[in-house]
Amino acid sequence: MTAPETEATATEADTAALRERAVASLTAARARTELLTDCVEEPDLTTQHSPLMSPLVWDLAHIGNQEELWLLRAVGGREALRPEIDGLYDAFEHSRAERPSLPLLPPAEARGYASDVRGRALDLLEAADFHGSRLTEAGFAFGMIAQHEQQHAETMLITHQLRAGPAVLTAPDPGPAPLLTGPAEVLVPGGPFTMGTSAEPWALDNERPAHPVDVAPFWIDTTPVTNASYQAFIEDGGYGTERWWTPEGWAHIRRHGLTAPLFWRRDGGQWLRRRFGVTEAVPDDEPVLHVCWYEADAYARWAGRRLPTEAEWEKAARFDPATGRSRRYPWGDADPAPEHANLGQRHLRPAPAGSYPDGESPLGVRQLIGDVWEWTSSDFLPYPGFTAFPYKEYSEVFFGAEYKVLRGGSFAVDKVACRGTFRNWDYPIRRQIFSGFRTARPEAV
């Protein structure tokens, strides 16, 4: 076989592998969308269960509309199927609070529309050329749409947590965590490391470009902060002691009467929580969930520590001191597998602290990917050399001190939308999201 033939065969194999990955990612996302929308009756699809969230039927049609916009129109050059609905499903044209009053497609029509778009998108994918434009290079547009749908699956799962009524979702619980015999915190060495990525083909614009960052040595918790540890903060009067809170945080908890994480309530001598329609005792060994940035920051101050910066979090997750390089994930460059992390709604709760030893970082830090989103102390800002792509509204319009960065994903995040470089952000008051945290401190105190 001649060298050109070998190269051509390799290119064909790469194209086939890309196509297979794109099909698998899109198919997995749609199966999850169907799981989250087929399990409830029509009134639950059209009701707004919280002013913080859209009706589920809006998400359903929005997913199809974004897929049409980017795959059928932008990549395929096709004419619009339903141009009259573009404005209804533009997330920036209508706030979540006003979406229930819009003339939304009813559930059957929304499902039919999303299904029609998907069929056409898969036909387009079958003949796609993954070269020639930045949007199609390495299948980026298809990966972007798969990630978008999985991100909406996470928001729909949040809606399920907020909805009243009996449980409609089921999943097995994570297994017990192996006994964690190591230290409670890990020292991360100081010095430079590569933050962000320029090589990950489906990475989104705010993860780019790769750039060197110098971080001073610091200690970071081996696992996320647990419910038991957070209860100690509560019992010590944490919510009633002003000195642990920022002025904005203190004003917020006083104004809203916050005394515990969202969905918790006291019953005699124990704490209970509501989780997807089931009331249960708060498990001591799970990472604390549904806390806002102000609560995480106050706990860290009470514990004599602080939240890690975004750069510190990423160095703890990706830096390999043996080679000096940054990995894709804490465990290496391989895609996530079930032994690495709690992802993809495989379970409907975080795994106990100390779980997934196969997923720990080279420094011995566990559960950096999956289980709970982890608040950092950092504002959501662009990296040096940032370029908005393919549209400013994904990241650029959110940059600034108004939003805090979360890292690592949660049990509700799919592997396609979770990397060591992936960045999430939200207002510091948000608690309905699947958020927790771990703490850090300087090397010397």
Side-chain angles (χ1 to χ4, degrees):
M1 184 178 290
T2 64
E5 288 173 330
T6 303
E7 183 176 328
T9 302
T11 301
E12 290 171 5
D14 290 344
T15 298
L18 266 176
R19 186 171 289 115
E20 182 179 349
R21 183 188 180 202
V23 169
S25 298
L26 290 168
T27 301
R30 184 51 49 87
R32 189 171 172 205
T33 295
E34 291 171 352
L35 172 68
L36 290 164
T37 55
D38 290 353
C39 64
V40 291
E41 299 297 329
E42 183 167 323
D44 269 339
L45 291 175
T46 56
T47 296
Q48 185 175 45
H49 298 280
S50 165
L52 297 173
M53 312 304 294
S54 306
L56 291 170
V57 74
W58 185 92
D59 289 284
L60 182 56
H62 169 77
I63 287 165
N65 188 243
Q66 286 295 107
E67 188 166 335
E68 184 195 348
L69 287 170
W70 289 105
L71 298 189
L72 301 190
R73 300 189 208 174
V75 173
R78 310 284 177 81
E79 292 293 322
L81 296 175
R82 301 283 301 268
E84 76 280 4
I85 70 171
D86 286 352
L88 295 176
Y89 298 103
D90 184 332
F92 287 87
E93 191 167 328
H94 301 285
S95 69
R96 288 177 175 176
E98 65 178 303
R99 289 171 192 169
S101 64
L102 300 175
L104 302 177
L105 300 183
E109 195 172 346
R111 286 191 177 101
Y113 169 65
S115 178
D116 183 20
V117 171
R118 173 53 54 86
R120 295 167 188 258
L122 291 177
D123 288 343
L124 180 69
L125 177 56
E126 187 62 32
D129 178 6
F130 298 124
H131 304 285
S133 78
R134 188 176 173 190
L135 194 59
T136 57
E137 185 69 31
F140 174 80
F142 297 95
M144 178 183 73
I145 288 301
Q147 291 178 80
H148 174 263
E149 183 160 358
Q150 288 286 6
Q151 288 168 335
H152 274 271
E154 182 178 9
T155 64
M156 287 191 285
L157 189 61
I158 291 169
T159 300
H160 273 276
Q161 170 63 10
L162 289 165
R163 65 178 284 275
V168 296
L169 296 171
T170 60
D173 287 340
L179 182 64
L180 184 62
T181 57
E185 60 179 354
V186 170
L187 179 64
V188 179
F193 83 105
T194 299
M195 186 172 183
T197 180
S198 297
E200 189 72 33
W202 289 1
L204 304 172
D205 60 3
N206 63 59
E207 302 171 65
R208 301 172 182 270
H211 58 287
V213 175
D214 203 322
V215 174
F218 66 99
W219 294 90
I220 192 167
D221 291 337
T222 304
T223 70
V225 169
T226 64
N227 288 323
S229 296
Y230 199 83
Q231 286 175 52
F233 166 67
I234 297 173
E235 301 304 331
D236 195 44
Y239 281 86
T241 307
E242 184 175 359
R243 66 189 176 110
W244 305 133
W245 301 82
T246 65
E248 298 82 5
W250 181 249
H252 177 70
I253 68 161
R254 303 301 287 177
R255 182 166 57 250
H256 296 281
L258 305 188
T259 58
L262 185 60
F263 307 116
W264 284 31
R265 65 178 176 85
R266 191 79 172 179
D267 182 31
Q270 68 173 339
W271 284 101
L272 302 178
R273 71 176 181 188
R274 182 170 58 81
R275 182 179 59 84
F276 299 110
V278 174
T279 298
E280 61 189 12
V282 171
D284 286 347
D285 58 354
E286 278 186 16
V288 67
L289 189 62
H290 296 302
V291 289
C292 70
W293 185 89
Y294 291 131
E295 291 168 297
D297 179 70
Y299 172 95
R301 294 167 188 259
W302 169 81
R305 300 167 70 82
R306 58 175 174 79
L307 295 178
T309 67
E310 183 182 13
E312 288 174 337
W313 188 97
E314 188 167 324
K315 185 168 188 180
R318 300 182 63 210
F319 181 68
D320 183 353
T323 63
R325 64 178 290 268
S326 292
R327 300 172 163 193
R328 293 178 70 212
Y329 300 96
W331 55 85
D333 294 335
D335 288 340
E339 67 270 18
H340 293 137
N342 181 8
L343 292 167
Q345 202 180 310
R346 197 168 67 247
H347 311 294
L348 287 171
R349 64 197 306 156
S355 297
Y356 303 106
D358 290 343
E360 72 179 22
S361 75
L363 296 169
V365 188
R366 292 194 184 179
Q367 292 170 282
L368 286 155
I369 298 292
D371 286 308
V372 294
W373 284 107
E374 298 184 17
W375 289 108
T376 72
S377 64
S378 298
D379 299 334
F380 184 49
L381 299 171
Y383 290 158
F386 166 85
T387 302
F389 179 80
Y391 57 103
K392 291 183 178 181
E393 288 80 8
Y394 181 70
S395 301
E396 188 173 302
V397 297
F398 298 102
F399 289 144
E402 195 174 2
Y403 296 93
K404 293 295 185 181
V405 173
L406 302 102
R407 299 298 297 263
S410 72
F411 66 88
V413 175
D414 187 79
K415 65 182 181 180
V416 76
C418 190
R419 295 170 286 278
T421 57
F422 193 92
R423 307 173 75 195
N424 190 9
W425 65 94
D426 214 327
Y427 293 112
I429 63 172
R430 288 291 186 249
R431 306 205 301 166
Q432 84 278 11
I433 60 178
F434 300 113
S435 52
F437 64 99
R438 71 181 74 217
T439 66
R441 66 178 175 91
E443 179 184 24
V445 292

